[in-house]
Amino acid sequence: MPGKLALLLASTVLSVALFEGVVRLVIRPSSMSYGTLLGRELPPVRVVPPPQPASPPRDGRNDENATQPTDDRDPAASEDDATPVSSADLQGFFREDPLLGYAPREHATSPRGWWVWNNIGARATTDTTPQQSQGKPRVLIFGESYASGSRVRQKDAWPTVLGETAGVDVVNLAVDGYSMGQALLRFREVTRSIDYTVAILVFSPTADLWRDVNTIRSLARHSWNSYIVMPRFVVEDGRLVLVPGPYERPSDVYVENARGLSEPLRRHLRTYDRFYFAARHEIPPLIGDLVLWKIAATLYATSERAALLRGMRVEHIDLDSEAMQVSRKIFDTMRDEVQARGRRFMLVFLPEPHDVRRIRHDPRNWHRVMDRLCAGLDCIDLAPALARVPAAQIDRGHDGTHYGPNMNRLVATELAREARLRQP
């Protein structure tokens, strides 16, 4: 018996050694990890890339044409000229912000003029004054890219159309890539200096839920070239508690982690980022150098990340998840702060384009989410109106994501009808 066990052990060790030797021959070098195997980064995978990116963090992909703002665009230039549509035209310009991580760059205009930001970083061609105009209620819009009308020209974005059709002063303060927590912080920051009648928070569950339990966007969405640490909220003893980023300047994350993951950032991510998996970014003693372990760790982290994201999609949303609890507390908090000033708060549900098809097929889970999150809140559900549009008529933005001009007009029309924004 001992001889058989020894033989089994020896054969196992030999098989592992042979596997290790063969696989190491096909692993390709990578600056972001131990190396890549069949296109997959093997642990330890860097959280922050070695060189600092040339452009500030944005929602989506980097675009070298959008790294600097321009305020001197030729007003006579045609939108049909040869100037390429850049990321700045689709998403805008950003600057570092010590609290928010990043924020719109005031008085900035994109190369083709698709985005214009005013004195307070609102998507507007005119400045926002502290006081409202007499007889014209001011409506503030908060949220992320679906709230901002991203990927279309400013004139086609639904907040712009809403202001023109409803006869109200719409101030578009939504920011691409934001979480609901960042939207709350932006609301607090902006409303210190301006008056308003209505505050609208736009919520797209599939796009937004995961961001409120995430701090570094690229951990959840690998295609996002965003590595700074975003603020988030946690719920403690029924209270909403802010967890700011660990750096005074968001870009310090590159300096402090230039040689690898620092201990302060490691602790922060382990505690607050549900998409940080130690198996993917850290090496355990003894077995950590084995390629076999690296493959297993990669498969585990990939599976866990997919399961988290799946639980935040419309058709599978976990109603009792941390993300749902945090989001609901954010909504309640913003409602209370708005109402404390004698103003009106509204929560608008706007599904992503690919979710419309799922809702059209089976709206039950969407309704369950609405029931859970809307109790005690003034909510508007735009899903029924969007679901009535034939799939072939749902147009998309310039890059194929988000809604196009026609759907933006529909959103504005439905919101104007449902919200009755001019009522006292």
Side-chain angles (χ1 to χ4, degrees):
M1 188 68 176
K4 290 183 178 180
L5 288 176
L7 182 60
L8 178 62
L9 179 61
S11 62
T12 300
V13 171
L14 182 61
S15 297
V16 170
L18 181 62
F19 175 83
E20 292 282 321
V22 171
V23 173
R24 287 173 192 269
L25 294 176
V26 296
I27 293 177
R28 297 187 176 185
S30 171
S31 62
M32 282 295 293
S33 66
Y34 172 81
T36 62
L37 179 63
L38 301 178
R40 295 283 188 93
E41 302 280 0
L42 297 178
V45 179
R46 293 185 65 112
V47 172
V48 181
Q52 181 172 343
S55 59
R58 295 192 299 276
D59 170 36
R61 303 167 182 81
N62 281 341
D63 185 330
E64 63 182 6
N65 296 317
T67 59
Q68 296 296 329
T70 174
D71 295 315
D72 57 355
R73 178 178 179 270
D74 180 3
S78 168
E79 288 186 346
D80 297 321
D81 64 17
T83 305
V85 175
S86 69
S87 177
D89 288 304
L90 300 181
Q91 302 164 324
F93 286 115
F94 301 96
R95 59 170 173 79
E96 279 192 274
D97 187 278
L99 177 61
L100 295 166
Y102 65 100
R105 187 170 294 187
E106 296 81 358
H107 295 298
T109 303
S110 67
R112 290 174 66 107
W114 284 28
W115 276 79
V116 180
W117 268 327
N118 71 2
N119 60 315
I120 63 169
R123 192 179 185 186
T125 56
T126 58
D127 285 350
T128 301
T129 60
Q131 301 302 320
Q132 304 183 66
S133 300
Q134 188 173 5
K136 195 171 188 180
R138 176 176 287 167
V139 179
L140 309 183
I141 308 292
F142 295 94
E144 33 76 296
S145 53
Y146 286 99
S148 70
S150 189
R151 274 60 167 197
V152 297
R153 294 173 174 84
Q154 189 150 319
K155 65 180 182 181
D156 295 323
W158 70 260
T160 304
V161 179
L162 177 65
E164 295 171 349
T165 58
V168 294
D169 176 21
V170 174
V171 182
N172 185 354
L173 293 158
V175 181
D176 283 37
Y178 266 19
S179 64
M180 294 294 97
Q182 286 171 294
L184 173 60
L185 292 173
R186 181 155 168 78
F187 158 76
R188 290 173 172 174
E189 191 173 76
V190 171
T191 54
R192 292 194 191 104
S193 58
I194 64 171
D195 191 19
Y196 63 98
T197 301
V198 181
I200 293 177
L201 180 61
V202 180
F203 180 56
S204 299
T206 302
D208 297 340
L209 279 171
W210 63 270
R211 300 179 196 181
D212 278 313
V213 292
N214 162 258
T215 61
I216 294 183
R217 297 288 183 256
S218 60
L219 292 177
R221 300 289 189 184
H222 300 330
S223 62
W224 284 37
N225 298 319
S226 176
Y227 307 99
I228 63 172
V229 186
M230 308 295 182
R232 64 157 294 193
F233 285 94
V234 295
V235 179
E236 294 181 357
D237 299 323
R239 297 180 301 109
L240 194 65
V241 179
L242 173 64
V243 179
Y247 304 107
E248 290 187 12
R249 292 190 312 165
S251 60
D252 284 347
V253 68
Y254 298 108
V255 177
E256 298 297 327
N257 297 273
R259 296 185 178 182
L261 186 61
S262 66
E263 188 55 33
L265 182 56
R266 186 197 316 271
R267 289 196 302 268
H268 187 89
L269 295 176
R270 280 192 167 200
T271 305
Y272 299 114
D273 197 315
R274 301 299 171 251
F275 290 90
Y276 176 81
F277 300 104
R280 177 173 169 81
H281 302 286
E282 302 175 26
I283 289 294
L286 300 178
I287 64 171
D289 289 329
L290 293 175
V291 174
L292 187 62
W293 179 88
K294 295 178 186 296
I295 294 173
T298 299
L299 294 175
Y300 164 78
T302 301
S303 174
E304 289 296 299
R305 171 181 162 274
L308 265 179
L309 291 172
R310 185 167 56 250
M312 299 180 199
R313 291 206 298 261
V314 165
E315 68 271 32
H316 300 295
I317 287 180
D318 179 358
L319 299 180
D320 297 315
S321 67
E322 179 188 5
M324 283 285 288
Q325 294 172 21
V326 172
S327 295
R328 172 68 210 219
K329 197 64 179 178
I330 289 170
F331 303 155
D332 289 346
T333 300
M334 189 167 174
R335 173 204 60 196
D336 293 345
E337 293 181 10
V338 170
Q339 292 181 351
R341 297 181 59 176
R343 304 297 186 253
R344 183 184 177 195
F345 171 74
M346 300 175 60
L347 179 64
V348 173
F349 279 70
L350 175 58
E352 292 184 294
H354 61 263
D355 283 335
V356 173
R357 175 179 56 82
R358 299 185 178 100
I359 294 169
R360 185 187 296 117
H361 175 70
D362 185 358
R364 289 175 298 178
N365 212 39
W366 178 263
H367 292 157
R368 284 193 289 268
V369 175
M370 290 281 300
D371 292 342
R372 176 65 62 91
L373 292 178
C374 282
L377 296 174
D378 185 357
C379 283
I380 291 180
D381 181 12
L382 295 175
L386 272 58
R388 288 194 293 269
V389 179
Q393 295 180 23
I394 296 180
D395 61 334
R396 298 294 187 97
H398 180 82
D399 63 355
T401 68
H402 297 68
Y403 291 112
N406 293 335
M407 293 301 288
N408 269 265
R409 282 193 292 275
L410 175 62
V411 169
T413 301
E414 287 298 316
L415 191 53
R417 182 177 65 83
E418 294 282 345
R420 301 180 299 279
L421 295 172
R422 292 191 61 85
Q423 73 176 21

